[in-house]
Amino acid sequence: MSKLRWIDWLVIGIVGFIVAFIFISITGFVNNQGIELISTESPLVFPFLIGVTLLVCWILTIILDIKKANAKQSFEESKELLHDIIVAFIFVIGVLIYTVVIDIIGFMVGTILFLIIGMAFMNYDESKIVIRIRNAAIVSCITVPLLYYVFHEVFKVMLP
Amino acid sequence: MIEFELIYILYIFVGCIIGLVMGALPGLTVTMTIVLVVSLTFGWEMIPALAFIIGAFAGGVMGGSISAIALNIPGTAAAVSTVFDGYPMKMKGEANNALGISLFVSLIGGLFGLAILAFVGPLLGKIALKFGPQEYFLITLWGITLVAVLSQGKITKGLIAAFIGIFVGMIGMDPITGLMRFTFGSKMLSGGVNYIAAMIGLFGMKEVLTQLKKSKTFKIDENYNIKDLIPKKDIIKRVIPTMTWSAVIGWIIGLLPGTGGDIGSLVAYGATKSIVKNPNRPFGEGSYEGIAAPETANDAAIGGALTTMLTLGIPGDSITAVIIGAFYMHGLLPGPTFMITERKYFYYILVFLAIGIVFAYFSGLLGANIMLKVLKFPKWALVPTITLLCIIGSYALQNSINDVIIMTFFGVIGYLFEKCDYPVSPIVLGIILGPMIETNFRQALISSGSVGTLLTSFITRPLALVILILIITSFVLQSFTIKSDSKAEADN
């Protein structure tokens, strides 16, 4: 029995959600606002065609993926994939927290902290955490004022 | 006539250096470089911004081959086939020759592509003026489906990505009736999804998330002798025929909507392998022709891709999709009327690109050793800094945190999709081309009166028929191309 990875199901779910959303929205427009679906001037005809095409491709992809999927996915592969996704997830959460926090503590301090954490987190070259943090602090204390100067003063770009 | 100020040269030079460095770094694509460079130019006037973006484009394409030769890892997708012979040449103690050939043929290929663009661009522009909505609909649809079909072995996934891009392009106000569509009830989305924020997410943030994977900084201990980077006469003589056909192949493939330097270089490599019977060494073991073919083609493809972009308003690949987005942002509208209303910008682009290609050559030549040091730049410092650039770039679009959230969202989507073998480029092309496809489809439908008449008009209108034949031909040709690409990759 072939088996898809959980991440494949997740992406299939995302695409399925988009397909469902297109059709539910179109149904809403037709039922609630009385907009014609099939007419030459309808604003819904093109989205409907896109929805149908997506639906067909979505079904075909599921069938093809299931056919191609490895029956046995090694425990190591599965563990590595989960690790990658968790790391990416933590990083994204960090980015979102950073965007909220800089409003409170300011760009300079917030960004230096963000870079120190990010750089220490990513430094696989060094095993000692103290050295990781020290290196990250040195680099970010140089990088942030430099970026601030280049973006804000030279390129006149508004910073968060 | 165009007015040329010397300061433009500085913009091109700085853009070119940034492009070279970022193009050389494995994992940082040319597309990502352009996206980040564009974010610096939001508040600039159009011409300096053009100079800067085009400089980065020229530098980025050339930079990809440096890591391909030094590390056996292509800096960009277009440098994938450079690895086949570039790295074996380095292992045989000919790193200087490998990089020297690569830089030289890139220069010639780039200038060739540009010369053809200068000649063909205005002619194609005249033809494009005769296009109606039917022709536009067909040609845009051609571009987007070609990208999807070229996603080898995963056509349905490519199509899903392309149609999701079109769906994202539909979010917000309907371009004809003004109806609010697919906004999820959010005010944030009522103006549509900012395509630059989506691009920064799909190319920048996605790459950051991919690079989070455990890996150590590269160790390189070699040096180039700059004198030896100038290729010897006998080597140039040997690769001239290869350069000639590869430049033509690269330009034509760049011209096709949906294809770019990455495909062009693979096809040129495959063609060279079948044409050249006596290379200096067998292909895959460090042949000069094996480096000359892909490097000439990927630079010649720039001219081809720009021809389609400037005259038809259709991006040829993900890089030109980002560039067209940047042009829109600066108020420049490539398309059939571009040659009439914006003719001077066409010449600015030509001149800037020519200077950029020459700069990239000399910077690559003189700065090869610095570039090697850049490759040693610790990844732990680079990736968070790029994250910061993505955040600043998306925020600066409208000084809004909403765009940062949109950028991050698309970064996650791109990351998850790539993990499951869905190509990301068609999403971007879909976002850019979606509104164009929809508007032309609906205008064609309204003017035809019914779906049946619309379908008939694709055959009865001579230009539409020509495009239809081109579409069918290109799909047939693509199937051969895909076969030859797979063969080239399998053989190496």
Side-chain angles (χ1 to χ4, degrees), chain B residues 78-86 89 98 101-106 108-110 235 238-251 253 261-276 283 287-301 488:
Chain B
V80 166
S81 25
T82 309
V83 166
F84 301 158
D85 284 273
M89 243 174 111
I101 296 172
S102 155
L103 290 172
F104 178 75
V105 299
S106 294
I108 303 299
I235 297 181
R238 189 175 184 101
V239 297
I240 281 176
T242 304
M243 279 164 62
T244 314
W245 64 66
S246 301
V248 175
I249 291 173
W251 192 84
I253 290 185
D262 43 351
I263 308 284
S265 58
L266 277 167
V267 175
Y269 186 83
T272 305
K273 262 180 94 171
S274 6
I275 298 169
V276 178
F283 284 96
S287 126
Y288 298 150
E289 288 88 348
I291 293 187
E295 284 296 312
T296 313
N298 74 32
D299 275 76

Short mmCIF file of all heavy atoms in Angstrom, two decimals, chain B residues 78-86 89 98 101-106 108-110 235 238-251 253 261-276 283 287-301 488:
data_model
loop_
_atom_site.label_atom_id
_atom_site.label_comp_id
_atom_site.label_asym_id
_atom_site.label_seq_id
_atom_site.Cartn_x
_atom_site.Cartn_y
_atom_site.Cartn_z
N ALA B 78 20.53 28.71 -13.81
CA ALA B 78 21.08 28.78 -15.16
C ALA B 78 22.50 28.22 -15.23
O ALA B 78 23.01 27.94 -16.31
CB ALA B 78 21.05 30.22 -15.66
N ALA B 79 23.15 28.06 -14.07
CA ALA B 79 24.53 27.57 -14.07
C ALA B 79 24.60 26.07 -13.79
O ALA B 79 25.69 25.53 -13.61
CB ALA B 79 25.36 28.34 -13.06
N VAL B 80 23.43 25.41 -13.77
CA VAL B 80 23.41 23.98 -13.45
C VAL B 80 24.31 23.19 -14.39
O VAL B 80 25.13 22.37 -13.96
CB VAL B 80 21.95 23.44 -13.51
CG1 VAL B 80 21.93 21.91 -13.52
CG2 VAL B 80 21.17 23.94 -12.30
N SER B 81 24.20 23.46 -15.71
CA SER B 81 24.99 22.66 -16.65
C SER B 81 26.46 23.09 -16.70
O SER B 81 27.27 22.37 -17.27
CB SER B 81 24.36 22.66 -18.04
OG SER B 81 23.59 23.77 -18.24
N THR B 82 26.78 24.23 -16.10
CA THR B 82 28.19 24.64 -16.04
C THR B 82 28.95 23.70 -15.11
O THR B 82 30.15 23.46 -15.28
CB THR B 82 28.29 26.09 -15.53
OG1 THR B 82 27.42 26.89 -16.30
CG2 THR B 82 29.69 26.65 -15.63
N VAL B 83 28.23 23.18 -14.12
CA VAL B 83 28.83 22.25 -13.15
C VAL B 83 29.39 21.01 -13.85
O VAL B 83 30.44 20.50 -13.48
CB VAL B 83 27.76 21.84 -12.10
CG1 VAL B 83 28.21 20.66 -11.28
CG2 VAL B 83 27.43 23.01 -11.21
N PHE B 84 28.65 20.54 -14.90
CA PHE B 84 29.00 19.26 -15.56
C PHE B 84 30.48 19.20 -15.96
O PHE B 84 31.13 18.19 -15.79
CB PHE B 84 28.14 19.02 -16.80
CG PHE B 84 26.65 18.98 -16.53
CD1 PHE B 84 25.75 19.23 -17.55
CD2 PHE B 84 26.15 18.69 -15.27
CE1 PHE B 84 24.38 19.19 -17.32
CE2 PHE B 84 24.79 18.65 -15.02
CZ PHE B 84 23.90 18.91 -16.05
N ASP B 85 30.98 20.30 -16.54
CA ASP B 85 32.38 20.29 -16.98
C ASP B 85 33.25 21.27 -16.20
O ASP B 85 34.47 21.12 -16.19
CB ASP B 85 32.45 20.61 -18.48
CG ASP B 85 32.03 19.43 -19.32
OD1 ASP B 85 32.88 18.60 -19.62
OD2 ASP B 85 30.82 19.32 -19.62
N GLY B 86 32.62 22.26 -15.57
CA GLY B 86 33.39 23.28 -14.85
C GLY B 86 34.13 22.69 -13.67
O GLY B 86 35.34 22.92 -13.49
N MET B 89 36.95 20.30 -14.61
CA MET B 89 38.10 21.06 -15.10
C MET B 89 38.91 21.59 -13.92
O MET B 89 40.14 21.57 -13.92
CB MET B 89 37.61 22.24 -15.94
CG MET B 89 38.05 22.17 -17.39
SD MET B 89 37.31 23.46 -18.34
CE MET B 89 38.77 24.42 -18.66
N ALA B 98 38.68 27.32 -16.63
CA ALA B 98 37.23 27.12 -16.53
C ALA B 98 36.52 28.45 -16.29
O ALA B 98 35.56 28.80 -17.00
CB ALA B 98 36.92 26.14 -15.41
N ILE B 101 36.97 30.90 -19.36
CA ILE B 101 36.06 30.61 -20.49
C ILE B 101 34.65 31.06 -20.13
O ILE B 101 33.96 31.73 -20.90
CB ILE B 101 36.05 29.09 -20.83
CG1 ILE B 101 37.43 28.65 -21.32
CG2 ILE B 101 34.99 28.78 -21.88
CD1 ILE B 101 37.56 27.14 -21.48
N SER B 102 34.25 30.68 -18.92
CA SER B 102 32.89 30.98 -18.50
C SER B 102 32.59 32.48 -18.55
O SER B 102 31.56 32.91 -19.08
CB SER B 102 32.69 30.42 -17.09
OG SER B 102 31.70 31.09 -16.43
N LEU B 103 33.51 33.29 -18.02
CA LEU B 103 33.29 34.74 -18.01
C LEU B 103 33.29 35.29 -19.43
O LEU B 103 32.44 36.11 -19.80
CB LEU B 103 34.37 35.44 -17.18
CG LEU B 103 34.33 35.21 -15.67
CD1 LEU B 103 35.56 35.82 -15.01
CD2 LEU B 103 33.07 35.82 -15.05
N PHE B 104 34.25 34.83 -20.25
CA PHE B 104 34.39 35.37 -21.60
C PHE B 104 33.16 35.05 -22.45
O PHE B 104 32.59 35.93 -23.10
CB PHE B 104 35.66 34.82 -22.25
CG PHE B 104 35.84 35.29 -23.66
CD1 PHE B 104 36.26 36.60 -23.92
CD2 PHE B 104 35.59 34.45 -24.75
CE1 PHE B 104 36.41 37.05 -25.23
CE2 PHE B 104 35.74 34.90 -26.05
CZ PHE B 104 36.16 36.19 -26.29
N VAL B 105 32.73 33.78 -22.45
CA VAL B 105 31.59 33.42 -23.31
C VAL B 105 30.29 34.05 -22.79
O VAL B 105 29.40 34.36 -23.57
CB VAL B 105 31.43 31.88 -23.47
CG1 VAL B 105 32.65 31.28 -24.10
CG2 VAL B 105 31.09 31.20 -22.17
N SER B 106 30.23 34.29 -21.47
CA SER B 106 29.06 34.97 -20.92
C SER B 106 28.99 36.38 -21.49
O SER B 106 27.90 36.87 -21.84
CB SER B 106 29.13 35.06 -19.40
OG SER B 106 29.05 33.79 -18.84
N ILE B 108 30.26 37.47 -24.34
CA ILE B 108 29.90 37.44 -25.77
C ILE B 108 28.42 37.06 -25.93
O ILE B 108 27.68 37.68 -26.69
CB ILE B 108 30.80 36.43 -26.54
CG1 ILE B 108 32.28 36.80 -26.36
CG2 ILE B 108 30.43 36.35 -28.02
CD1 ILE B 108 32.67 38.17 -26.89
N GLY B 109 27.98 36.04 -25.19
CA GLY B 109 26.58 35.60 -25.27
C GLY B 109 25.63 36.73 -24.89
O GLY B 109 24.63 36.97 -25.57
N GLY B 110 25.95 37.43 -23.82
CA GLY B 110 25.10 38.54 -23.36
C GLY B 110 25.02 39.64 -24.39
O GLY B 110 23.93 40.15 -24.69
N ILE B 235 42.06 28.37 -27.20
CA ILE B 235 40.81 27.93 -26.56
C ILE B 235 39.63 28.69 -27.17
O ILE B 235 38.59 28.11 -27.49
CB ILE B 235 40.86 28.15 -25.02
CG1 ILE B 235 41.98 27.30 -24.41
CG2 ILE B 235 39.53 27.80 -24.38
CD1 ILE B 235 42.12 27.43 -22.90
N ARG B 238 38.75 27.38 -30.49
CA ARG B 238 38.10 26.08 -30.35
C ARG B 238 36.60 26.22 -30.00
O ARG B 238 35.78 25.45 -30.48
CB ARG B 238 38.83 25.31 -29.23
CG ARG B 238 38.41 23.92 -29.14
CD ARG B 238 39.15 23.09 -28.16
NE ARG B 238 38.61 21.77 -28.36
CZ ARG B 238 39.20 20.82 -29.04
NH1 ARG B 238 40.38 21.01 -29.54
NH2 ARG B 238 38.61 19.66 -29.21
N VAL B 239 36.29 27.21 -29.15
CA VAL B 239 34.89 27.30 -28.68
C VAL B 239 34.02 28.24 -29.52
O VAL B 239 32.81 28.33 -29.26
CB VAL B 239 34.80 27.68 -27.18
CG1 VAL B 239 35.43 26.63 -26.30
CG2 VAL B 239 35.38 29.04 -26.91
N ILE B 240 34.60 28.91 -30.52
CA ILE B 240 33.79 29.85 -31.32
C ILE B 240 32.55 29.18 -31.95
O ILE B 240 31.44 29.69 -31.80
CB ILE B 240 34.64 30.59 -32.38
CG1 ILE B 240 35.41 31.73 -31.68
CG2 ILE B 240 33.78 31.20 -33.50
CD1 ILE B 240 36.36 32.49 -32.57
N PRO B 241 32.72 28.01 -32.62
CA PRO B 241 31.50 27.40 -33.20
C PRO B 241 30.46 27.09 -32.12
O PRO B 241 29.27 27.37 -32.29
CB PRO B 241 32.03 26.10 -33.83
CG PRO B 241 33.49 26.28 -33.98
CD PRO B 241 33.92 27.21 -32.91
N THR B 242 30.91 26.55 -30.97
CA THR B 242 29.98 26.23 -29.88
C THR B 242 29.25 27.49 -29.41
O THR B 242 28.04 27.47 -29.17
CB THR B 242 30.75 25.61 -28.69
OG1 THR B 242 31.47 24.50 -29.16
CG2 THR B 242 29.83 25.19 -27.57
N MET B 243 30.03 28.57 -29.28
CA MET B 243 29.43 29.83 -28.83
C MET B 243 28.35 30.29 -29.81
O MET B 243 27.31 30.78 -29.40
CB MET B 243 30.51 30.92 -28.73
CG MET B 243 31.32 30.86 -27.46
SD MET B 243 32.82 31.82 -27.61
CE MET B 243 32.20 33.44 -27.87
N THR B 244 28.63 30.10 -31.11
CA THR B 244 27.70 30.61 -32.13
C THR B 244 26.34 29.93 -32.01
O THR B 244 25.32 30.61 -31.87
CB THR B 244 28.29 30.36 -33.55
OG1 THR B 244 29.64 30.77 -33.53
CG2 THR B 244 27.53 31.10 -34.62
N TRP B 245 26.33 28.58 -32.05
CA TRP B 245 25.00 27.95 -31.98
C TRP B 245 24.37 28.07 -30.59
O TRP B 245 23.16 28.19 -30.46
CB TRP B 245 25.01 26.52 -32.52
CG TRP B 245 25.84 25.52 -31.76
CD1 TRP B 245 25.62 25.06 -30.51
CD2 TRP B 245 27.02 24.86 -32.23
NE1 TRP B 245 26.59 24.15 -30.15
CE2 TRP B 245 27.46 24.00 -31.19
CE3 TRP B 245 27.73 24.89 -33.40
CZ2 TRP B 245 28.58 23.20 -31.29
CZ3 TRP B 245 28.86 24.08 -33.51
CH2 TRP B 245 29.27 23.25 -32.47
N SER B 246 25.21 28.09 -29.56
CA SER B 246 24.64 28.20 -28.21
C SER B 246 23.99 29.57 -28.00
O SER B 246 22.95 29.67 -27.34
CB SER B 246 25.73 28.00 -27.16
OG SER B 246 26.31 26.75 -27.32
N ALA B 247 24.59 30.61 -28.58
CA ALA B 247 24.01 31.95 -28.44
C ALA B 247 22.65 31.99 -29.12
O ALA B 247 21.68 32.53 -28.57
CB ALA B 247 24.94 32.99 -29.05
N VAL B 248 22.56 31.38 -30.31
CA VAL B 248 21.28 31.37 -31.04
C VAL B 248 20.25 30.55 -30.26
O VAL B 248 19.11 31.00 -30.04
CB VAL B 248 21.48 30.81 -32.47
CG1 VAL B 248 20.15 30.70 -33.19
CG2 VAL B 248 22.44 31.70 -33.26
N ILE B 249 20.66 29.38 -29.79
CA ILE B 249 19.73 28.53 -29.01
C ILE B 249 19.25 29.29 -27.76
O ILE B 249 18.06 29.35 -27.46
CB ILE B 249 20.42 27.20 -28.60
CG1 ILE B 249 20.66 26.32 -29.82
CG2 ILE B 249 19.58 26.44 -27.57
CD1 ILE B 249 21.48 25.06 -29.55
N GLY B 250 20.20 29.87 -27.05
CA GLY B 250 19.86 30.58 -25.81
C GLY B 250 18.89 31.72 -26.08
O GLY B 250 17.90 31.88 -25.36
N TRP B 251 19.15 32.48 -27.13
CA TRP B 251 18.29 33.63 -27.43
C TRP B 251 16.87 33.16 -27.77
O TRP B 251 15.90 33.70 -27.26
CB TRP B 251 18.87 34.46 -28.58
CG TRP B 251 18.17 35.77 -28.71
CD1 TRP B 251 18.44 36.91 -28.00
CD2 TRP B 251 17.04 36.07 -29.53
NE1 TRP B 251 17.57 37.90 -28.35
CE2 TRP B 251 16.70 37.42 -29.29
CE3 TRP B 251 16.30 35.34 -30.45
CZ2 TRP B 251 15.64 38.05 -29.94
CZ3 TRP B 251 15.24 35.97 -31.09
CH2 TRP B 251 14.92 37.31 -30.84
N ILE B 253 15.37 30.34 -27.03
CA ILE B 253 14.67 29.75 -25.87
C ILE B 253 14.28 30.84 -24.88
O ILE B 253 13.20 30.81 -24.30
CB ILE B 253 15.53 28.64 -25.23
CG1 ILE B 253 15.53 27.46 -26.21
CG2 ILE B 253 14.99 28.21 -23.87
CD1 ILE B 253 16.19 26.23 -25.77
N GLY B 261 17.05 31.24 -19.12
CA GLY B 261 18.44 30.82 -19.24
C GLY B 261 18.69 29.41 -18.73
O GLY B 261 19.55 28.71 -19.26
N ASP B 262 17.95 28.98 -17.69
CA ASP B 262 18.20 27.64 -17.15
C ASP B 262 17.89 26.56 -18.18
O ASP B 262 18.67 25.62 -18.37
CB ASP B 262 17.42 27.40 -15.84
CG ASP B 262 16.00 27.90 -15.89
OD1 ASP B 262 15.66 28.59 -16.87
OD2 ASP B 262 15.23 27.60 -14.97
N ILE B 263 16.76 26.72 -18.88
CA ILE B 263 16.40 25.74 -19.91
C ILE B 263 17.35 25.91 -21.10
O ILE B 263 17.87 24.94 -21.66
CB ILE B 263 14.94 25.96 -20.40
CG1 ILE B 263 13.97 26.01 -19.24
CG2 ILE B 263 14.54 24.91 -21.43
CD1 ILE B 263 13.63 24.71 -18.61
N GLY B 264 17.60 27.18 -21.48
CA GLY B 264 18.47 27.48 -22.62
C GLY B 264 19.84 26.83 -22.46
O GLY B 264 20.38 26.24 -23.41
N SER B 265 20.41 26.92 -21.26
CA SER B 265 21.76 26.39 -21.07
C SER B 265 21.76 24.86 -21.15
O SER B 265 22.68 24.27 -21.72
CB SER B 265 22.34 26.86 -19.73
OG SER B 265 21.51 26.46 -18.68
N LEU B 266 20.72 24.23 -20.62
CA LEU B 266 20.66 22.76 -20.70
C LEU B 266 20.50 22.29 -22.15
O LEU B 266 21.14 21.32 -22.57
CB LEU B 266 19.48 22.24 -19.86
CG LEU B 266 19.76 22.06 -18.36
CD1 LEU B 266 18.48 21.85 -17.60
CD2 LEU B 266 20.70 20.89 -18.11
N VAL B 267 19.64 23.01 -22.91
CA VAL B 267 19.42 22.62 -24.30
C VAL B 267 20.71 22.83 -25.10
O VAL B 267 21.10 21.97 -25.90
CB VAL B 267 18.25 23.41 -24.93
CG1 VAL B 267 18.11 23.11 -26.41
CG2 VAL B 267 16.96 23.10 -24.20
N ALA B 268 21.39 23.96 -24.87
CA ALA B 268 22.63 24.25 -25.61
C ALA B 268 23.68 23.19 -25.27
O ALA B 268 24.42 22.74 -26.15
CB ALA B 268 23.14 25.64 -25.26
N TYR B 269 23.73 22.78 -24.02
CA TYR B 269 24.69 21.75 -23.61
C TYR B 269 24.40 20.43 -24.33
O TYR B 269 25.30 19.79 -24.89
CB TYR B 269 24.63 21.55 -22.09
CG TYR B 269 25.69 20.61 -21.56
CD1 TYR B 269 26.98 21.07 -21.30
CD2 TYR B 269 25.42 19.27 -21.32
CE1 TYR B 269 27.96 20.21 -20.82
CE2 TYR B 269 26.39 18.40 -20.84
CZ TYR B 269 27.66 18.88 -20.58
OH TYR B 269 28.63 18.04 -20.11
N GLY B 270 23.10 20.07 -24.34
CA GLY B 270 22.68 18.83 -25.01
C GLY B 270 23.01 18.89 -26.49
O GLY B 270 23.54 17.92 -27.05
N ALA B 271 22.71 20.04 -27.13
CA ALA B 271 22.96 20.18 -28.57
C ALA B 271 24.46 20.09 -28.85
O ALA B 271 24.89 19.41 -29.79
CB ALA B 271 22.41 21.52 -29.06
N THR B 272 25.27 20.74 -28.01
CA THR B 272 26.72 20.73 -28.22
C THR B 272 27.28 19.32 -28.10
O THR B 272 28.15 18.90 -28.86
CB THR B 272 27.40 21.68 -27.21
OG1 THR B 272 26.79 22.95 -27.34
CG2 THR B 272 28.88 21.81 -27.44
N LYS B 273 26.73 18.58 -27.15
CA LYS B 273 27.19 17.20 -26.97
C LYS B 273 26.95 16.36 -28.22
O LYS B 273 27.76 15.50 -28.56
CB LYS B 273 26.45 16.56 -25.79
CG LYS B 273 27.25 16.60 -24.51
CD LYS B 273 26.51 15.96 -23.38
CE LYS B 273 26.88 14.51 -23.22
NZ LYS B 273 26.34 13.94 -21.99
N SER B 274 25.80 16.64 -28.88
CA SER B 274 25.54 15.83 -30.08
C SER B 274 26.29 16.35 -31.30
O SER B 274 26.60 15.57 -32.20
CB SER B 274 24.04 15.75 -30.40
OG SER B 274 23.29 16.54 -29.59
N ILE B 275 26.60 17.66 -31.32
CA ILE B 275 27.27 18.21 -32.51
C ILE B 275 28.79 18.00 -32.46
O ILE B 275 29.40 17.57 -33.42
CB ILE B 275 26.94 19.72 -32.66
CG1 ILE B 275 25.43 19.92 -32.87
CG2 ILE B 275 27.71 20.31 -33.86
CD1 ILE B 275 24.98 21.37 -32.76
N VAL B 276 29.40 18.32 -31.30
CA VAL B 276 30.87 18.27 -31.22
C VAL B 276 31.33 16.82 -31.02
O VAL B 276 31.04 16.20 -30.00
CB VAL B 276 31.38 19.16 -30.05
CG1 VAL B 276 32.90 19.07 -29.93
CG2 VAL B 276 30.97 20.59 -30.27
N PHE B 283 32.86 15.01 -22.73
CA PHE B 283 31.93 15.84 -21.97
C PHE B 283 31.72 15.24 -20.58
O PHE B 283 31.64 14.02 -20.43
CB PHE B 283 30.59 15.94 -22.71
CG PHE B 283 30.64 16.88 -23.88
CD1 PHE B 283 30.87 16.41 -25.17
CD2 PHE B 283 30.49 18.25 -23.69
CE1 PHE B 283 30.95 17.28 -26.24
CE2 PHE B 283 30.57 19.12 -24.76
CZ PHE B 283 30.79 18.64 -26.05
N SER B 287 35.41 19.36 -20.47
CA SER B 287 35.58 19.83 -21.85
C SER B 287 35.32 21.35 -21.93
O SER B 287 34.44 21.87 -21.25
CB SER B 287 34.61 19.06 -22.75
OG SER B 287 33.82 19.91 -23.49
N TYR B 288 36.15 22.03 -22.76
CA TYR B 288 35.96 23.48 -22.91
C TYR B 288 34.58 23.78 -23.50
O TYR B 288 33.91 24.73 -23.09
CB TYR B 288 37.04 24.06 -23.85
CG TYR B 288 38.46 23.91 -23.35
CD1 TYR B 288 39.52 23.80 -24.24
CD2 TYR B 288 38.75 23.89 -21.98
CE1 TYR B 288 40.84 23.66 -23.79
CE2 TYR B 288 40.05 23.75 -21.53
CZ TYR B 288 41.09 23.63 -22.44
OH TYR B 288 42.38 23.50 -21.99
N GLU B 289 34.20 22.98 -24.48
CA GLU B 289 32.89 23.20 -25.13
C GLU B 289 31.74 23.03 -24.13
O GLU B 289 30.71 23.69 -24.23
CB GLU B 289 32.70 22.21 -26.29
CG GLU B 289 33.55 22.48 -27.51
CD GLU B 289 34.93 21.82 -27.43
OE1 GLU B 289 35.30 21.34 -26.33
OE2 GLU B 289 35.63 21.79 -28.46
N GLY B 290 31.97 22.12 -23.15
CA GLY B 290 30.94 21.85 -22.15
C GLY B 290 30.69 23.04 -21.23
O GLY B 290 29.63 23.14 -20.60
N ILE B 291 31.67 23.92 -21.12
CA ILE B 291 31.46 25.15 -20.32
C ILE B 291 30.95 26.25 -21.22
O ILE B 291 30.03 27.00 -20.85
CB ILE B 291 32.78 25.61 -19.66
CG1 ILE B 291 33.21 24.59 -18.62
CG2 ILE B 291 32.61 26.98 -19.01
CD1 ILE B 291 34.39 25.03 -17.81
N ALA B 292 31.51 26.32 -22.44
CA ALA B 292 31.15 27.42 -23.34
C ALA B 292 29.66 27.38 -23.71
O ALA B 292 29.00 28.43 -23.75
CB ALA B 292 32.01 27.36 -24.60
N ALA B 293 29.12 26.18 -23.95
CA ALA B 293 27.74 26.08 -24.42
C ALA B 293 26.73 26.64 -23.41
O ALA B 293 25.99 27.58 -23.73
CB ALA B 293 27.42 24.63 -24.78
N PRO B 294 26.68 26.12 -22.18
CA PRO B 294 25.66 26.64 -21.26
C PRO B 294 25.87 28.10 -20.88
O PRO B 294 24.91 28.85 -20.73
CB PRO B 294 25.79 25.74 -20.03
CG PRO B 294 27.12 25.11 -20.10
CD PRO B 294 27.46 25.03 -21.55
N GLU B 295 27.13 28.49 -20.72
CA GLU B 295 27.39 29.87 -20.28
C GLU B 295 27.02 30.89 -21.36
O GLU B 295 26.52 31.96 -21.05
CB GLU B 295 28.85 30.02 -19.85
CG GLU B 295 29.14 29.41 -18.49
CD GLU B 295 28.39 30.10 -17.36
OE1 GLU B 295 28.40 31.34 -17.30
OE2 GLU B 295 27.77 29.40 -16.55
N THR B 296 27.29 30.54 -22.64
CA THR B 296 26.89 31.46 -23.72
C THR B 296 25.37 31.53 -23.76
O THR B 296 24.80 32.62 -23.85
CB THR B 296 27.40 30.94 -25.10
OG1 THR B 296 28.75 30.56 -24.98
CG2 THR B 296 27.25 31.98 -26.17
N ALA B 297 24.74 30.35 -23.69
CA ALA B 297 23.28 30.31 -23.85
C ALA B 297 22.56 31.05 -22.74
O ALA B 297 21.62 31.81 -23.00
CB ALA B 297 22.82 28.86 -23.90
N ASN B 298 23.02 30.87 -21.48
CA ASN B 298 22.23 31.51 -20.41
C ASN B 298 22.34 33.03 -20.45
O ASN B 298 21.43 33.73 -20.02
CB ASN B 298 22.47 30.88 -19.03
CG ASN B 298 23.79 31.22 -18.40
OD1 ASN B 298 24.33 32.29 -18.59
ND2 ASN B 298 24.33 30.29 -17.63
N ASP B 299 23.44 33.54 -20.98
CA ASP B 299 23.53 35.00 -21.09
C ASP B 299 22.82 35.52 -22.34
O ASP B 299 22.25 36.62 -22.31
CB ASP B 299 25.00 35.45 -21.06
CG ASP B 299 25.48 35.59 -19.63
OD1 ASP B 299 25.74 34.56 -19.00
OD2 ASP B 299 25.55 36.74 -19.15
N ALA B 300 22.85 34.73 -23.43
CA ALA B 300 22.13 35.14 -24.64
C ALA B 300 20.62 35.14 -24.37
O ALA B 300 19.87 35.93 -24.95
CB ALA B 300 22.46 34.21 -25.78
N ALA B 301 20.20 34.26 -23.45
CA ALA B 301 18.77 34.16 -23.13
C ALA B 301 18.23 35.45 -22.50
O ALA B 301 17.03 35.73 -22.57
CB ALA B 301 18.52 32.98 -22.19
N ALA B 488 20.77 14.95 -20.91
CA ALA B 488 21.99 15.68 -20.53
C ALA B 488 22.27 15.52 -19.04
O ALA B 488 23.40 15.29 -18.63
CB ALA B 488 21.85 17.15 -20.88
#
